[in-house]
Amino acid sequence: MSLRRIVDILMTIALMLQMSSQVTGQEAHEYTGIAMFTLFLIHQYLNRRWYGALLKGKYTLLRSFNTAISLTLLTSFITTAFSGIIMSENFPALNIESLTSFARLAHLSCSYLSFTLMGIHLGLHWGIVAGKIKASWPGILAAILAGYGLYVFVWVNNVASYIFLVNEFAFLDYDKNPALVFLENVAMMSFWTLTGYQVSKILTGKFRRPAISMGIAILAALAFRVVLGVPEGGF
């Protein structure tokens, strides 16, 4: 396995931990953030040629979309990191009290945006993995997991309200089973990874038949909505 792929995997794991702060606790959240930012810098170095090629070559629909996602993710991630530094509780020398209010809102919005874009980014680049979600029992289960992720994203956590700051305070259930917290994060990431993969197929003209996996995911999300309903505090 290449160093680039190892770094990507470690970044994904770190992101899952970051999005589970009610389980890990604030101190671990900040230290994991430092580790993730270090991995992020390594990732940028390993992909440094990408920056040099931005103004070269022809921009297809897929390349344009991929570039837009990557640049937005880059901006969002950097904003998340620096807003986290400003609010730091364990590194008070870095805390800038006058900017704390702005940093809190920026951190809330950009952390969830980064999480969503990371899933799409993975789907665009790890198509060989997402592409295995086909009409087989493992594939159907994977699509159902993605559907559960859509259900959690929309109806349980109402993530869009945080991204667009409709809701300026994140609701974190500290009594929720830690395993369920991680499962929900993996499921949400799975949905956006599947979405990124499907978009890549559309933009390359390879979307020749209905996306069975995406259809299963959406139907599963609606089924979860009907069966499980909306938890108190959900959307």
Side-chain angles (χ1 to χ4, degrees):
M1 185 180 294
S2 67
L3 176 60
R4 183 177 301 176
R5 185 55 59 88
I6 292 173
V7 170
D8 288 347
I9 292 173
L10 291 176
M11 282 186 65
T12 303
I13 294 174
L15 180 60
M16 294 297 175
L17 293 173
Q18 285 295 91
M19 301 306 294
S20 306
S21 59
Q22 70 266 48
V23 175
T24 61
Q26 183 61 31
E27 184 174 359
H29 180 73
E30 292 190 17
Y31 280 108
T32 304
I34 293 173
M36 187 171 181
F37 188 67
T38 301
L39 290 168
F40 168 78
L41 294 177
I42 295 173
H43 177 83
Q44 301 311 307
Y45 175 77
L46 293 175
N47 293 277
R48 60 193 181 280
R49 293 183 178 178
W50 180 79
Y51 292 96
L54 278 175
L55 301 179
K56 300 177 182 178
K58 179 181 179 181
Y59 270 81
T60 61
L61 286 175
L62 178 60
R63 186 186 180 191
S64 299
F65 181 77
N66 187 17
T67 301
I69 291 294
S70 297
L71 291 177
T72 306
L73 175 58
L74 177 68
T75 303
S76 180
F77 187 89
I78 291 175
T79 303
T80 301
F82 279 94
S83 59
I85 290 173
I86 292 172
M87 297 188 299
S88 176
E89 295 180 2
N90 295 288
F91 302 95
L94 301 176
N95 189 287
I96 305 175
E97 187 174 350
S98 62
L99 296 177
T100 299
S101 179
F102 171 77
R104 184 186 64 79
L105 293 178
H107 196 75
L108 174 65
S109 175
C110 290
S111 60
Y112 281 102
L113 178 60
S114 296
F115 178 81
T116 302
L117 293 176
M118 180 72 85
I120 297 174
H121 182 74
L122 289 175
L124 291 171
H125 292 275
W126 287 16
I128 189 172
V129 176
K132 294 185 181 300
I133 303 179
K134 297 179 180 179
S136 61
W137 279 112
I140 291 173
L141 291 176
I144 291 174
L145 176 65
Y148 179 67
L150 177 59
Y151 162 72
V152 173
F153 188 92
V154 175
W155 287 291
V156 178
N157 292 344
N158 191 14
V159 174
S161 71
Y162 301 141
I163 294 176
F164 297 105
L165 295 178
V166 174
N167 189 343
E168 297 183 358
F169 296 92
F171 172 77
L172 299 177
D173 187 353
Y174 289 89
D175 296 324
K176 184 177 291 186
N177 187 307
L180 180 57
V181 173
F182 288 118
L183 173 63
E184 288 179 348
N185 286 332
V186 170
M188 287 190 290
M189 180 67 73
S190 298
F191 173 76
W192 290 111
T193 299
L194 176 60
T195 299
Y197 172 72
Q198 297 294 350
V199 169
S200 72
K201 301 296 283 185
I202 293 173
L203 296 181
T204 54
K206 297 178 180 179
F207 198 75
R208 304 182 189 284
R209 59 184 180 181
I212 297 176
S213 54
M214 182 58 78
I216 293 174
I218 293 174
L219 289 175
L222 295 175
F224 282 119
R225 171 65 178 81
V226 172
V227 175
L228 300 180
V230 179
E232 184 177 355
F235 175 65

